C-alpha cells in the first residue's frame, strides 16, 4: 500500500490500536506475503548490515578517484579528543555518517538508506543511539520500520533522489527518517513521529 501522508498512517494505527511501526510492518507482510516474524528478521538483517558496514571501516581505503578515504578516521580522532562543538553524541553521528559514506565510495558494503548519497545518516543515528542508550536491538528494528514509513511517504509525495531533487532530497529525507526513528526510540507517540 502506498500511504499518502503520515496522518494516514496515524489514523490506521489509532483505528487498529497499534504503533506507527506496526502499521508499516503489517503492510510489508501483506506486500511480500511474509509472516511478521519473517518481516522482522529481514529488517533485523538490514540493521545488522549497517552494523557490519560500521565495524568494517578501517580508514585506510581510498576511492578509485583517490578523493575519498580517511576522513572518517580523522573525524573519529577529533571527536575522541573532545573537540566537537556539537557534543559527543552528534559528533559520533557525524563521524559514523562520514565513515559510511566513505565505505560506499570505496566500494565496500553499500548501505543505501534511503539512497547511497545519504547512506550514512540513518545508520549513524541508530548505531550511535544503540551504543549510548541500551534500548535493545528489537527497538532499533522497530525504529527502522518507522523510518521506512516516513521514507515511503517522501518518495511518493516528493523525491528521495539527489538526481531529481538535489542533495536536499537525499539528506533531507534521510534526516526526516532518522528523526522519526529517534522519536520512536525515545517513546514518542504516533502523532509525535
Amino acid at each position: 500500500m502506498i500511504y499518502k501522508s503520515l496522518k494516514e498512517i496515524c489514523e490506521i494505527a489509532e483505528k487498529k490500536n497499534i504503533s506507527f511501526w506496526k502499521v508499516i510492518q503489517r503492510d510489508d507482510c501483506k506486500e511480500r506475503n511474509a509472516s511478521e516474524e519473517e518481516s522482522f528478521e529481514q529488517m533485523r538483517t538490514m540493521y545488522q548490515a549497517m552494523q557490519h558496514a560500521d565495524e568494517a571501516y578501517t580508514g585506510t581505503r581510498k576511492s578509485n578517484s583517490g578523493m575519498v578515504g580517511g576522513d572518517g578516521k580523522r573525524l573519529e580522532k577529533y571527536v575522541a579528543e573532545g573537540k566537537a562543538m556539537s557534543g559527543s553524541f552528534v559528533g559520533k553521528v557525524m563521524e559514523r555518517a562520514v565513515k559510511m559514506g566513505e565505505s560506499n565510495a570505496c566500494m565496500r558494503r553499500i548501505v543505501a538508506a534511503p539512497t547511497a548519497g545519504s547512506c550514512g545518516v540513518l545508520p549513524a543515528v541508530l548505531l550511535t543511539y544503540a551504543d549510548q542508550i541500551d534500548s535493545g536491538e528489537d527497538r532499533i528494528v522497530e525504529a527502522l520500520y518507522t523510518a521506512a514509513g516516513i521514507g515511503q511517504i517522501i518518495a511518493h509525495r516528493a523525491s528521495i533522489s539527489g538526481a531529481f531533487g538535489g542533495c536536499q532530497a537525499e539528506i533531507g529525507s534521510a534526516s526526516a527518517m532518522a528523526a522519526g526513528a529517534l522519536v520512536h526510540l525515545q517513546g514518542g507517540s504516533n502523532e509525535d513521529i
Side-chain angles (χ1 to χ4, degrees):
M1 174 176 203
I2 295 179
Y3 298 106
K4 295 172 181 61
S5 68
L6 294 173
K7 182 180 178 186
E8 181 182 2
I9 295 172
C10 288
E11 288 171 351
I12 292 168
E14 185 177 336
K15 181 179 177 183
K16 296 186 179 202
N17 196 29
I18 58 176
S19 299
F20 186 103
W21 77 268
K22 195 64 156 170
V23 173
I24 306 306
Q25 184 200 35
R26 286 183 178 175
D27 188 55
D28 177 57
C29 292
K30 184 178 175 184
E31 186 175 301
R32 294 187 314 111
N33 196 29
S35 69
E36 288 188 4
E37 294 77 21
E38 290 168 332
S39 173
F40 202 83
E41 290 310 309
Q42 177 67 34
M43 191 65 86
R44 185 187 311 278
T45 299
M46 291 180 197
Y47 176 60
Q48 290 168 345
M50 293 176 186
Q51 290 173 309
H52 175 73
D54 180 61
E55 292 162 3
Y57 177 84
T58 64
T60 59
R61 293 184 62 121
K62 289 277 191 188
S63 65
N64 286 338
S65 69
M67 296 175 68
V68 176
D71 289 331
K73 204 63 152 167
R74 284 191 283 282
L75 191 52
E76 178 180 23
K77 182 177 183 261
Y78 187 77
V79 171
E81 291 171 352
K83 294 181 179 177
M85 290 175 46
S86 60
S88 63
F89 182 83
V90 174
K92 189 68 177 172
V93 167
M94 290 187 298
E95 170 198 323
R96 278 190 160 127
V98 168
K99 287 177 175 180
M100 196 71 63
E102 284 184 8
S103 292
N104 280 352
C106 295
M107 303 309 290
R108 302 285 293 185
R109 175 165 250 171
I110 296 174
V111 179
T115 63
S118 64
C119 64
V121 176
L122 187 59
V125 168
L126 294 179
L127 292 169
T128 304
Y129 185 92
D131 281 352
Q132 294 192 13
I133 299 169
D134 184 21
S135 61
E137 190 173 87
D138 285 357
R139 290 281 294 156
I140 300 291
V141 173
E142 292 172 9
L144 278 171
Y145 281 106
T146 300
I150 293 167
Q152 184 270 328
I153 290 166
I154 295 169
H156 175 71
R157 293 183 66 154
S159 176
I160 60 171
S161 166
F164 180 77
C167 294
Q168 296 85 349
E170 289 184 300
I171 295 298
S173 57
S175 297
M177 292 165 67
L182 281 177
V183 170
H184 170 76
L185 288 167
Q186 286 293 101
S189 69
N190 295 336
E191 290 296 322
D192 293 338
I193 291 168

